[in-house]
Amino acid sequence: DSGVTQTPKHLITATGQRVTLRCSPRSGDLSVYWYQQSLDQGLQFLIQYYNGEERAKGNILERFSAQQFPDLHSELNLSSLELGDSALYFCASSSGAGEGYTFGSGTRLTVV
Amino acid sequence: GEDVEQSLFLSVREGDSSVINCTYTDSSSTYLYWYKQEPGAGLQLLTYIFSNMDMKQDQRLTVLLNKKDKHLSLRIADTQTGDSAIYFCAEFYTGRRALTFGSGTRLQVQP
């Protein structure tokens, strides 16, 4: 157990739908990062939050949004889902860059 | 990871050494990392090296950094079947604020 908790582990939904992925960071970590892992794109950075505020944006689509709550858990919202959004979505947390990120076990999203 | 490149596949025999290579393009990288991903699991941090270091050893793992060539390698001594996984290198520099990952190298260990 890495200390980063992601729910749900698996999600199957239809095109056009909206889903919410949840992440609880490791205790004491203020930063949360979201990554998408797909076979053709590898690991793509989506967005970072630090202590409730958005810090950095990567290749995140406008249909996707995220937030970090006062208790530091984070949610990634994916809307108007397309088949191409099927992927593994990872959350990671860190307390500082030098220590690297601690990853959760991911949410596997399948859009049918 | 367009800025970080790795070969896709490496096959070794159990007991041999494995060397996984990575090249990166950003000379401002401050930290470089190696992660391991087993099937169905998240990424596990194996080790990292600060950009002012040339080498770091941690039990069976040795990381070599050649800043001039922007080349990073991970050597696994006495490779075991449990080392079979995908290995990712990643770079960090403060200008980007997030780790950039390579595409991963699948290591297959033959018994």
Side-chain angles (χ1 to χ4, degrees):
Chain A
D1 181 8
S2 68
V4 178
T5 305
Q6 288 189 250
T7 56
K9 289 197 182 309
H10 302 276
L11 202 47
I12 301 175
T13 190
T15 54
Q17 295 299 304
R18 173 190 168 94
V19 297
T20 298
L21 312 184
R22 195 176 192 278
C23 169
S24 293
R26 196 178 55 165
S27 178
D29 288 352
L30 299 179
S31 283
V32 169
Y33 306 82
W34 286 97
Y35 281 81
Q36 179 193 58
Q37 185 180 34
S38 59
L39 282 174
D40 56 343
Q41 296 283 336
L43 267 163
Q44 296 289 315
F45 168 64
L46 296 178
I47 197 163
Q48 178 205 359
Y49 278 82
Y50 177 83
N51 202 22
E53 293 191 1
E54 182 185 301
R55 263 291 178 93
K57 259 186 175 178
N59 302 322
I60 189 165
L61 300 171
E62 285 192 12
R63 300 183 284 109
F64 297 179
S65 65
Q67 53 186 328
Q68 186 179 30
F69 295 87
D71 66 352
L72 300 178
H73 92 270
S74 178
E75 292 181 356
L76 179 67
N77 301 296
L78 314 176
S79 61
S80 302
L81 285 166
E82 301 174 0
L83 296 178
D85 297 327
S86 296
L88 262 172
Y89 290 84
F90 285 108
C91 167
S93 71
S94 78
S95 56
E99 297 174 5
Y101 301 172
T102 301
F103 280 80
S105 55
T107 294
R108 181 172 294 280
L109 173 67
T110 303
V111 183
V112 298
Chain B
E2 60 186 359
D3 298 331
V4 182
E5 293 188 358
Q6 301 178 238
S7 52
L8 291 180
F9 185 76
L10 175 66
S11 181
V12 300
R13 291 204 173 274
E14 192 173 16
D16 289 349
S17 291
S18 308
V19 180
I20 302 171
N21 295 300
C22 170
T23 57
Y24 59 98
T25 57
D26 201 310
S27 57
S28 304
S29 297
T30 51
Y31 294 93
L32 294 134
Y33 302 85
W34 284 104
Y35 281 83
K36 175 183 180 182
Q37 185 180 29
E38 295 182 84
L43 279 73
Q44 174 195 355
L45 177 64
L46 289 177
T47 187
Y48 67 93
I49 189 166
F50 189 52
S51 58
N52 67 355
M53 298 168 65
D54 298 323
M55 185 183 89
K56 181 177 181 181
Q57 188 154 0
D58 185 359
Q59 299 182 336
R60 291 192 298 124
L61 305 178
T62 303
V63 179
L64 295 178
L65 175 61
N66 181 330
K67 282 194 72 175
K68 176 175 166 290
D69 295 337
K70 299 192 184 72
H71 183 265
L72 182 73
S73 68
L74 174 69
R75 178 176 179 268
I76 306 173
D78 187 24
T79 313
Q80 304 296 307
T81 54
D83 295 323
S84 292
I86 301 176
Y87 291 80
F88 292 90
C89 69
E91 64 169 352
F92 176 86
Y93 77 101
T94 52
R96 197 175 297 164
R97 287 186 168 171
L99 294 187
T100 300
F101 286 84
S103 53
T105 300
R106 182 178 295 276
L107 174 65
Q108 182 180 71
V109 182
Q110 312 269 15

